[in-house]
Amino acid sequence: MLLISAISLGLLGTMARPSLLRQRRITPMLVTFALVLIAFVAVLASALAFGGPRDIAPLASVNDPFEKVDFSRVPPAQRYTARDGTPLAWYSYAPTAAATQAPVRRVVLVHGSSSRARSLHVLASALAAQGHAVAALDMRGHGESGPRGHVAYIGQLEDDMEAFLNAVPHAGPQTLMGFSAGGGFALRFAGGERQARFDHYVLLSPFIHQDAPTARPDAGGWAAVGVPRLIALTLLNRAGITQWNHLPVLRFALDEASRAGLTPSYSYSLAMNFRPQLDYASNIRSARGSVCIVAGQDDELFYADRYAALFAQSGKHVPVTLVPGVNHMGLTLDAQAVAAVAQHACPA
């Protein structure tokens, strides 16, 4: 019996030694993994806490032109109710000239980043003078539509647009016209599942993507991006974690006079929604309706001469009109530019 016990203990010892060796090898691996995980979480937390957008100097070419605009005839704001019950503002411009077609075409106007519907007053008036019914929207997070700089979730702006179309129906054809970031949103809608709500899309100097060939660094000095926070939130969103999407990732080059009425910064949710999808080429390829682009030849925020090639490379050839001697804001304020935009309100 003693001999058998000794042999059994020997066998157990022999079996235990590889197990101990494996454990000794695995333990350092687990420690390394734990340290890497802790470091990753620390970097992520630091990016969220301290990786927001920096302050940015005011950009005169965007701020100054509005000092000369007469806003005395801006119509009173109207309201429609969004899906979540929030009242959102819009402005109606009735046709002031005989329409060239019946029924009248409605142009739904979407303003640019940081802005509001009244910034498009000159353009809206010109379109109305061409015989179009015009609806200029304060997009959620701007103007008089909810808390500035925020939306509840990515995709809420599309839901709001559909809510407007349902709440304020129009019997005739409709154009969605967006300027700058609003042009990017118009492209997002044109390539989305609800694109048939409009038969025509006009993109005015549209923002496409920060890495697109049309993008100048920092949008020509207009926007500061909190890159570390943006990357961290993108990674979290891919993992289904959205609880920090309210944090700001964009700050705009507003002067003090403009900050009171405009939107100084965007949360992650708003920044990701008020633009094309990250795969902007997919939006372009999926847009089955009529699309055209109008931009100022001297645009200082984007490379206007690259729009045609960008869309062609993404699978859709679109007409591009470049207005000579006009910069970014001039596209919606300059008489020559506004006339060119008004010509593209209806399909060719």
Side-chain angles (χ1 to χ4, degrees):
M1 291 294 293
L2 289 173
L3 180 60
I4 293 172
S5 298
I7 293 171
S8 299
L9 289 171
L11 289 171
L12 288 171
T14 303
M15 294 171 63
R17 279 194 295 273
S19 177
L20 288 172
L21 289 173
R22 282 196 300 272
Q23 185 176 359
R24 288 172 183 169
R25 285 197 298 267
I26 291 171
T27 299
M29 291 174 61
L30 290 174
V31 171
T32 301
F33 176 78
L35 290 174
V36 170
L37 182 61
I38 290 170
F40 175 76
V41 171
V43 170
L44 202 65
S46 178
L48 290 176
F50 308 111
R54 70 184 191 280
D55 290 331
I56 184 169
L59 186 61
S61 67
V62 172
N63 291 284
D64 294 352
F66 290 98
E67 296 176 1
K68 301 177 182 178
V69 178
D70 179 9
F71 291 109
S72 62
R73 295 187 179 182
V74 173
Q78 301 186 52
R79 300 287 190 279
Y80 70 96
T81 303
R83 180 183 296 184
D84 65 344
T86 301
L88 303 178
W90 72 285
Y91 300 79
S92 177
Y93 292 78
T96 57
T100 57
Q101 61 179 12
V104 172
R105 172 172 291 275
R106 180 166 72 176
V107 180
V108 177
L109 281 181
V110 180
H111 55 74
S113 56
S114 174
S115 198
R116 56 191 305 183
R118 61 185 281 124
S119 70
L120 297 176
H121 172 64
V122 174
L123 174 59
S125 300
L127 291 168
Q130 291 287 324
H132 306 302
V134 180
L137 310 186
D138 272 353
M139 300 297 285
R140 186 188 294 261
H142 304 80
E144 298 183 38
S145 292
R148 291 181 187 172
H150 300 280
V151 294
Y153 56 89
I154 300 170
Q156 191 169 34
L157 294 183
E158 291 97 307
D159 291 343
D160 291 344
M161 181 63 71
E162 185 171 51
F164 169 76
L165 297 174
N166 292 337
V168 190
H170 180 71
Q174 297 192 90
T175 292
L176 182 59
M177 180 182 292
F179 171 61
S180 199
F185 174 76
L187 175 60
R188 182 189 187 96
F189 204 92
E193 59 185 14
R194 289 171 272 202
Q195 60 179 272
R197 299 301 298 263
F198 298 93
D199 68 295
H200 187 50
Y201 292 85
V202 180
L203 316 181
L204 307 178
S205 293
F207 167 74
I208 304 298
H209 190 280
Q210 62 273 17
D211 295 327
T214 52
R216 295 183 188 271
D218 294 330
W222 168 238
V225 183
V227 175
R229 182 178 287 169
L230 183 69
I231 293 172
L233 287 169
T234 299
L235 292 173
L236 289 171
N237 274 255
R238 288 176 180 172
I241 301 170
T242 60
Q243 66 188 88
W244 290 291
N245 282 7
H246 63 283
L247 294 174
V249 297
L250 275 180
R251 183 168 287 129
F252 300 107
L254 297 175
D255 57 26
E256 283 303 316
S258 301
R259 291 175 68 87
L262 302 183
T263 302
S265 63
Y266 280 1
S267 70
Y268 179 82
S269 290
L270 181 53
M272 290 296 102
N273 199 171
F274 200 39
R275 57 174 292 161
Q277 293 177 330
L278 293 178
D279 182 7
Y280 62 85
S282 175
N283 279 155
I284 295 172
R285 287 191 299 269
S286 299
R288 294 185 294 274
S290 171
V291 178
C292 71
I293 297 173
V294 185
Q297 196 170 51
D298 297 338
D299 195 304
E300 75 279 22
L301 272 60
F302 308 122
Y303 294 112
D305 58 343
R306 300 180 183 179
Y307 282 120
L310 171 63
F311 274 66
Q313 290 166 6
S314 300
K316 191 173 181 70
H317 294 270
V318 301
V320 177
T321 299
L322 299 182
V323 186
V326 171
N327 68 357
H328 191 72
M329 296 311 305
L331 191 65
T332 63
L333 299 174
D334 177 83
Q336 177 188 4
V338 170
V341 170
Q343 290 173 5
H344 289 271
C346 290

